[in-house]
């Protein structure tokens, strides 16, 4: 992939094209970086997406508690599951 391919994928908003491009990740949200689809599959449930962009970090954390963490085991086991989801998302996004 070339730099122009990367820029074209950004401009077109194509997630599938972006996922084809190998990349690095200099910043991670760790236990908040996985897709809700991973947790849905693991927990055997459907998680409604946020209705609108979050107005604050506090609002995002509340949504995370109410819609994601509630499906995970408490404590370290739940955190490790969310880390696993973040690594799976990084692999799907072609982070090398």
């Amino acid at each position: 992939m070339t730099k122009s391919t990367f820029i074209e994928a950004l401009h077109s908003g194509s997630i599938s094209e972006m996922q084809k491009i190998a990349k690095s990740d200099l910043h991670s949200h760790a236990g908040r970086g996985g897709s809700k689809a991973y947790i849905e599959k693991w927990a055997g449930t459907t998680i409604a997406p946020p209705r609108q962009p979050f107005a604050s970090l506090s609002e995002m954390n509340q949504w995370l508690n109410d819609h994601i963490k509630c499906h995970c085991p408490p404590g370290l086991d739940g955190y490790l599951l969310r880390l696993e989801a973040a690594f799976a998302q990084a692999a799907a996004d072609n982070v090398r």
Side-chain angles (χ1 to χ4, degrees), residues 1-12 17-18 21:
M1 296 280 166
T2 65
K3 181 179 175 183
S4 63
T5 306
F6 179 80
I7 292 170
E8 288 170 14
L10 282 175
H11 283 292
S12 69
E17 288 301 311
M18 288 294 299
I21 301 167

Side-chain angles (χ1 to χ4, degrees), residues 40 57 64:
E40 286 176 326
L57 185 57
L64 179 76

Side-chain angles (χ1 to χ4, degrees), residues 1 3 12 16 19 26 41-42 51 59 63 74 89 95-96:
M1 296 280 166
K3 181 179 175 183
S12 69
S16 62
Q19 288 176 320
L26 299 176
K41 184 176 179 181
W42 180 88
R51 295 181 190 177
E59 191 177 292
W63 184 88
Q89 185 64 48
V95 173
R96 299 284 176 228

Side-chain angles (χ1 to χ4, degrees), residues 20-91:
K20 292 177 185 176
I21 301 167
K23 62 194 74 62
S24 64
D25 189 355
L26 299 176
H27 177 89
S28 173
H29 287 263
R32 291 172 165 85
S35 73
K36 69 180 189 65
Y38 190 93
I39 302 297
E40 286 176 326
K41 184 176 179 181
W42 180 88
T45 191
T46 300
I47 300 169
R51 295 181 190 177
Q52 59 193 29
F54 301 116
S56 67
L57 185 57
S58 176
E59 191 177 292
M60 182 202 69
N61 283 329
Q62 188 63 54
W63 184 88
L64 179 76
N65 288 333
D66 295 346
H67 295 88
I68 302 293
K69 286 185 175 182
C70 64
H71 297 293
C72 300
L76 181 60
D77 288 339
Y79 180 68
L80 291 175
L81 172 65
R82 294 188 305 278
L83 282 180
E84 183 180 303
F87 275 100
Q89 185 64 48

